[in-house]
C-alpha cells in the first residue's frame, strides 16, 4: 500500500496517509493514484462529482468509480487527498456514465462475503439516519428500527444488541455526544455506534477509542467510512 505525507492546512498537523485499496471485479487490488506533494484540500461543501474518482485497474484495464480518498484530521477538518486524473483515450470504459461505484470494499476477514452496499444519497437529516440504518443492516444487524420522532436520549436507531446515534449537523461531533451514547449503551447493556456528517473533534475521537465506540463519517453520497479502530473491527468482524 502506498503511503504519502499529508499536512492539514487548518492545524498544520502532519499525517501519513495510506492509500485505500479496492478489489477490482477481476480480483486484482486497485488503488487511486495519489498526487505526491499536492496539498490536501479541506472539504467545506460536498458535491456528487467531487466525492467520486475514476480508478483504472492495472491488470484488466477496467475503469470504475470509487470514493475520493479523504482523511479526517483530529482537529475536525475533513481533507480531500488529490488524485491523478485517469487518461481516457484508447481505454475501454465498461461503466462510463455511472455515477457511483458498483460496490464498496468487502471486509477481508468476514466469514461470509456481503452483498454490494447500495448507498442512499443524503439530502436531509432524515436521509442520514436512513443511510446509517441501511449500513447497519448491511453489516449484519437484525431488526434495525428507526423511530418516527427522535427521543430525548438522541438515539436514532436501535437493533438487536445495538443503539446508534446519527449527527447530521455541520459541526464536528463533540466529546459529550460520545459519552452520552456510551452511557445509554451501558444502561441498555448493548453496544453503541456513532455516525457523523462533519467528522469528530480530537477529544471525541480519543474518548471513543478509549470506550471502544465505532465512529463513522457519512458523506453526501451515502457511503459511511470508518475513522477509528473499533469501526474497522466492526466492519471486519460484523455484529
Amino acid at each position: 500500500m502506498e503511503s504519502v505525507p499529508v499536512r492539514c492546512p487548518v492545524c498544520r498537523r502532519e499525517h501519513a496517509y495510506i492509500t485505500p485499496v479496492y478489489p477490482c471485479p477481476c480480483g486484482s487490488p486497485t488503488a487511486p493514484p495519489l498526487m505526491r506533494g499536492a496539498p490536501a484540500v479541506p472539504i467545506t461543501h460536498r458535491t456528487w462529482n467531487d466525492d467520486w474518482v475514476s480508478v483504472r485497474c492495472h491488470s484488466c484495464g477496467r475503469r470504475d468509480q470509487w470514493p475520493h480518498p479523504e482523511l479526517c484530521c483530529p482537529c475536525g477538518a475533513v481533507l480531500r487527498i488529490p488524485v491523478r486524473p485517469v487518461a481516457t483515450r484508447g481505454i475501454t470504459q465498461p461503466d462510463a456514465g455511472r455515477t457511483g461505484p458498483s460496490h464498496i470494499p468487502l471486509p477481508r476477514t468476514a466469514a461470509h462475503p456481503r452483498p454490494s452496499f447500495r448507498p442512499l444519497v443524503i439530502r436531509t437529516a432524515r436521509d442520514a439516519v436512513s443511510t446509517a440504518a441501511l449500513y447497519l443492516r448491511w453489516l449484519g444487524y437484525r431488526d434495525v428500527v428507526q423511530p418516527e420522532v427522535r427521543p430525548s436520549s438522541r438515539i436514532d436507531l436501535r437493533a438487536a444488541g445495538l443503539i446508534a446515534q446519527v449527527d447530521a449537523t455541520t459541526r464536528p461531533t463533540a466529546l459529550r455526544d460520545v459519552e452520552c451514547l456510551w452511557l445509554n449503551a451501558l444502561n441498555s447493556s448493548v453496544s453503541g455506534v456513532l455516525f457523523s456528517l462533519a467528522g469528530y473533534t480530537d477529544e471525541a475521537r480519543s474518548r471513543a477509542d478509549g470506550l471502544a465506540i465505532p465512529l463513522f463519517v457519512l458523506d453526501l453520497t451515502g457511503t459511511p467510512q470508518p475513522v477509528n479502530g473499533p469501526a474497522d473491527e466492526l466492519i471486519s468482524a460484523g455484529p
Side-chain angles (χ1 to χ4, degrees):
M1 293 183 292
E2 181 185 8
S3 176
V4 298
V6 175
R7 172 176 289 183
C8 176
V10 178
C11 69
R12 314 305 295 175
R13 188 175 308 204
E14 294 281 355
H15 302 274
Y17 179 79
I18 299 177
T19 309
V21 176
Y22 305 110
C24 177
C26 77
S28 298
T30 306
L34 303 186
M35 295 180 65
R36 283 186 173 273
V41 179
I43 300 175
T44 57
H45 176 72
R46 290 188 178 276
T47 65
W48 181 275
N49 289 335
D50 289 340
D51 282 330
W52 303 110
V53 61
S54 294
V55 179
R56 180 179 300 127
C57 175
H58 292 290
S59 296
C60 68
R62 179 188 179 99
R63 178 180 165 187
D64 271 317
Q65 298 290 314
W66 295 99
H68 198 124
E70 295 179 1
L71 184 149
C72 294
C73 182
C75 75
V78 180
L79 311 176
R80 181 171 287 124
I81 312 300
V83 173
R84 293 197 305 271
V86 175
T88 58
R89 184 167 54 185
I91 298 297
T92 301
Q93 300 177 22
D95 295 278
R98 198 179 66 202
T99 56
S102 58
H103 64 292
I104 63 176
L106 298 182
R108 297 183 179 183
T109 60
H112 302 285
R114 298 187 182 108
S116 300
F117 176 69
R118 298 182 179 275
L120 172 69
V121 178
I122 297 175
R123 298 185 178 88
T124 66
R126 194 69 178 177
D127 289 340
V129 176
S130 297
T131 293
L134 288 173
Y135 193 72
L136 292 175
R137 294 187 184 102
W138 179 78
L139 286 174
Y141 284 98
R142 297 175 291 105
D143 305 323
V144 179
V145 177
Q146 178 180 345
E148 290 297 325
V149 179
R150 194 182 201 196
S152 57
S153 63
R154 300 183 65 190
I155 298 305
D156 298 287
L157 296 167
R158 295 182 181 273
L162 179 88
I163 58 175
Q165 181 177 327
V166 183
D167 186 354
T169 66
T170 57
R171 301 183 306 275
T173 301
L175 170 64
R176 183 175 182 273
D177 295 296
V178 172
E179 293 181 335
C180 286
L181 175 67
W182 177 74
L183 287 172
N184 279 311
L186 186 66
N187 290 334
S188 302
S189 298
V190 296
S191 301
V193 178
L194 255 174
F195 295 85
S196 175
L197 271 177
Y200 301 87
T201 65
D202 191 7
E203 293 82 3
R205 291 188 60 172
S206 177
R207 188 64 168 150
D209 288 343
L211 297 173
I213 295 179
L215 302 181
F216 293 87
V217 168
L218 294 168
D219 60 37
L220 297 185
T221 62
T223 305
Q225 299 291 340
V227 296
N228 68 345
D232 289 329
E233 293 176 7
L234 177 58
I235 294 176
S236 177

